[in-house]
Amino acid sequence: MGFLEDMQETLDRGVSTARGAVSGVAVEQLGFVKSFVRTCHEGWLQGWHEANGGNMSYRMTESDVSAARTFFYDEPGSWVSAGIQAQCLAGARFLVTRAGGHFRTMQADPSRGVGIIEMDSTGSAWRVVWGFKDGGRPTSEIGSHLMAHAMRMAATGSIGCDHAAETANPAASVDRSAEVSPGKSAAAAGGARVIYHAHMPNLAALTLAGAFDSRSLTRLLWKTTTECVMAVPTGVGVVGTVVPGSPELARATSDLMKDHAAVLWARHGLIVAGETLDEAFGLAHSLEKAAGIYLAARAACGGQEPPCLLSDEELAAVIAGCGIPANEAYR
Ligand code: 2HA
Ligand code: ZN
């Protein structure tokens, strides 16, 4: 895009964006945006984001919103059904990766690769208020992200967040009379802020090599190293093969996120929740590394089960000795 077209788009989007462009203190320069984009790039460097693979969302704090608000478009996008009604998301703003965007090139043009959406006052629809330059929209997995945010806010934090999923197409209009819980608004809530989805080769390979459920996968990964259960004490929920971007995938993920910070989408990738970018990335990294260690050990054993995985007793001793709040279901 040439300079004149660029300026025209800036003007089209409104004077507040132009103010940002002139002052140079653009949203892209804010700390939370830089950290978000850097984390996406780190995922690319790990080899987890071929083409448009993977997506991330971050629920902004009040101070993030204050810093960025000046640059929000004077004319936000249209409201789009979120496929969920979650009062705890009411008024929340999320920094989100772009549908079809490539993590590989995001750093070069952040206002294209990411955008900010805001939820309406009932937590059932969103609209774009910044970014996604040239008419982009949030990731195709936005339904899974929003439902996961709502579930992890309820599971980890201080708030009640009942929510109802749409049973049909999440793009269809929502009957807002059906359900709204009186939970606190997102602005007041703590808990998980980051949802991160990536395509990890070792975890994906593992789901080709055997049929795992949440318990068998969790215990296998926990038994690869003494550190894995510390890094991921909730264990990993497993979803079978489900159509990417579908409401079914969003619902299955959200159900498992009730008591798991990580959910593996078999033959696809991993989705994790963290309070911070580092926590989410660390969860993903730990699980992928454990899967890689297991596969390498198995290959070294001629394709047989490695004989020296942690035993049941050794795993129990690590959990007890380190006081790890490991998921009771998998002890
Ligand atoms: O963003 O990873 O699951 C593309 C995907 C869909
Ligand atoms: Zn994916």
Side-chain angles (χ1 to χ4, degrees):
M1 188 181 273
F3 173 77
L4 287 176
E5 288 151 303
D6 241 347
M7 278 315 290
Q8 187 56 52
E9 182 179 339
T10 299
L11 291 170
D12 287 348
R13 286 297 199 174
V15 290
S16 56
T17 307
R19 259 198 311 276
V22 169
S23 71
V25 191
V27 174
E28 298 93 303
Q29 300 304 320
L30 297 173
F32 74 96
V33 181
K34 290 210 296 203
S35 301
F36 183 98
V37 171
R38 192 188 61 234
T39 304
C40 290
H41 190 72
E42 284 162 359
W44 153 252
L45 294 176
Q46 291 293 331
W48 300 342
H49 297 288
E50 79 293 343
N52 66 323
N55 30 76
M56 176 137 66
S57 60
Y58 163 80
R59 183 167 51 81
M60 292 163 61
T61 65
E62 279 301 290
S63 79
D64 296 333
V65 175
S66 304
R69 193 197 300 274
T70 328
F71 307 107
F72 286 179
Y73 298 141
D74 289 338
E75 292 177 25
S78 321
W79 289 109
V80 177
S81 166
I84 178 180
Q85 284 183 280
Q87 189 60 37
C88 62
L89 298 186
R93 274 82 169 200
F94 293 93
L95 183 64
V96 189
T97 53
R98 177 187 182 110
H102 292 196
F103 278 32
R104 180 176 59 83
T105 54
M106 185 187 295
Q107 270 188 335
D109 197 357
S111 68
R112 179 182 178 78
V114 302
I116 296 173
I117 59 169
E118 77 178 3
M119 302 297 294
D120 72 355
S121 60
T122 64
S124 62
W126 54 261
R127 63 181 179 179
V128 174
V129 295
W130 178 84
F132 299 133
K133 203 164 71 180
D134 304 329
R137 50 179 285 134
T139 168
S140 58
E141 303 288 6
I142 189 66
S144 279
H145 281 247
L146 293 175
M147 286 183 72
H149 274 289
M151 186 56 80
R152 290 312 288 171
M153 285 164 78
T156 60
S158 35
I159 55 150
C161 188
D162 294 342
H163 64 274
E166 283 290 274
T167 48
N169 176 0
S173 70
V174 174
D175 173 10
R176 293 180 188 186
S177 64
E179 183 279 338
V180 172
S181 91
K184 282 190 206 164
S185 76
R193 291 202 171 273
V194 179
I195 301 291
Y196 176 38
H197 164 57
H199 295 174
M200 281 92 160
N202 290 312
L203 284 165
L206 209 48
T207 63
L208 302 183
F212 291 100
D213 59 18
S214 303
R215 181 178 170 80
S216 58
L217 182 72
T218 295
R219 287 188 64 79
L220 182 139
L221 295 174
W222 279 358
K223 286 182 170 194
T224 58
T225 60
T226 53
E227 305 307 293
C228 190
V229 65
M230 292 185 214
V232 197
T234 64
V236 193
V238 177
V239 171
T241 307
V242 181
V243 176
S246 64
E248 291 72 27
L249 185 58
R251 252 193 313 280
T253 302
S254 160
D255 285 349
L256 284 165
M257 283 231 167
K258 232 175 258 163
D259 41 19
H260 301 86
V263 174
L264 185 67
W265 295 344
R267 294 160 285 280
H268 180 164
L270 183 74
I271 184 163
V272 296
E275 190 150 352
T276 61
L277 291 162
D278 278 350
E279 186 181 289
F281 195 89
L283 275 174
H285 205 175
S286 300
L287 291 169
E288 171 61 359
K289 185 165 183 184
I293 289 169
Y294 174 78
L295 290 172
R298 200 173 166 116
C301 295
Q304 303 301 309
E305 186 74 352
C308 300
L309 291 172
L310 292 181
S311 66
D312 290 345
E313 294 72 29
E314 286 168 335
L315 179 59
V318 170
I319 291 171
C322 298
I324 300 166
N327 193 328
E328 293 289 343
Y330 307 138
R331 283 173 183 240

